[in-house]
Amino acid sequence: MEKILEIFHEKVYIEGDATDSDTLLKAGIMEAKGLFAVSGDDNQNLVISLTAKQLNPNIRVVARCHDLKNMEKMKKAGADAVVSPTFIGGLRMASEMVRPTVVSFLDIMLRDKEKNLRVEEIPVPESIIGKTIANLQLDKYPNVLLLAVRTKDNWIFNPPEDYLIKPENVLIFMSTPQERQELERIFSTT
């Protein structure tokens, strides 16, 4: 613990059992937007997820899972997303073997400091509901590429210009963080 305090001496932390409601309350679970359940034990992560959702049903919980057979249990316990680092690592290795150019492109995209391109998401504000993709005039933004629209139940990849934007949609872009902020600003005032 002393070594951690040396490195992060200015950081605030709470010492306690994250499966305990009192510890989560002390950490501010009622005001929190999200929680990571990332202990080294699947059972603890399951209980942390369950406890967090019982205390704050609106919190987003991302849980780490070592054994894939526990993924569904964690979701039923309240985790909004479950991540298995071992499984993801295996997928990455397989992708390196069969799609090395794609993997290289994504790595460069994430590390490029000059263009700083990212895959970003923008929930649909009321101001653009009922408009078409063409109405958004995305061609004004040189570093913006609309990749997909997330609907309530599905994905629409490379949506057509006449796609009518609905309230539950989320727009998925490749963009710089600055242009994403610009789009959010414009969408909210349109």
Side-chain angles (χ1 to χ4, degrees):
M1 182 64 113
E2 285 80 29
K3 196 159 197 107
I4 292 173
L5 289 174
E6 284 177 28
I7 297 169
F8 300 106
H9 57 87
E10 295 180 12
K11 304 297 179 195
V12 176
Y13 69 95
I14 306 257
E15 193 171 329
D17 179 357
T19 64
D20 182 0
S21 297
D22 291 335
T23 302
L24 293 178
L25 289 167
K26 188 175 172 184
I29 190 84
M30 300 309 289
E31 297 82 30
K33 300 276 188 233
L35 176 135
F36 293 102
V38 293
S39 79
D41 180 270
D42 283 358
N43 292 326
Q44 279 192 324
N45 291 338
L46 187 141
V47 174
I48 293 167
S49 300
L50 179 64
T51 306
K53 282 293 188 169
Q54 283 180 330
L55 293 170
N56 181 351
N58 297 320
I59 196 167
R60 179 163 175 78
V61 176
V62 177
R64 178 182 190 176
C65 182
H66 297 282
D67 191 337
L68 293 180
K69 70 181 180 189
N70 292 328
M71 290 183 92
E72 201 54 41
K73 294 174 192 171
M74 286 186 188
K75 287 181 182 175
K76 286 184 179 177
D80 297 288
V82 180
V83 177
S84 170
T86 305
F87 182 72
I88 289 172
L91 287 176
R92 169 64 188 252
M93 290 178 72
S95 292
E96 283 281 3
M97 183 62 72
V98 298
R99 291 183 289 283
T101 306
V102 172
V103 172
S104 176
F105 166 75
L106 292 172
D107 282 347
I108 288 170
M109 181 185 80
L110 291 173
R111 291 187 182 109
D112 184 331
K113 301 290 186 220
E114 194 173 306
K115 286 199 190 261
N116 198 23
L117 291 172
R118 301 284 180 265
V119 177
E120 301 277 356
E121 65 182 68
I122 300 177
V124 170
E126 282 188 42
S127 61
I128 64 171
I129 293 170
K131 294 186 178 186
T132 64
I133 297 294
N135 294 138
L136 300 180
Q137 299 178 329
L138 297 174
D139 54 342
K140 290 181 176 180
Y141 306 94
N143 293 312
V144 170
L145 176 64
L146 180 60
L147 301 172
V149 175
R150 174 73 170 150
T151 67
K152 193 182 254 183
D153 307 313
N154 207 354
W155 290 92
I156 300 170
F157 298 101
N158 192 20
E161 291 283 310
D162 63 347
Y163 177 80
L164 206 58
I165 299 169
K166 298 169 187 65
E168 73 277 358
N169 290 163
V170 177
L171 306 176
I172 310 298
F173 291 96
M174 183 184 306
S175 174
T176 63
Q178 296 79 16
E179 284 196 321
R180 187 209 76 229
Q181 289 175 345
E182 179 69 11
L183 287 175
E184 286 177 328
R185 188 184 65 73
I186 289 169
F187 290 172
S188 66
T189 60
T190 302

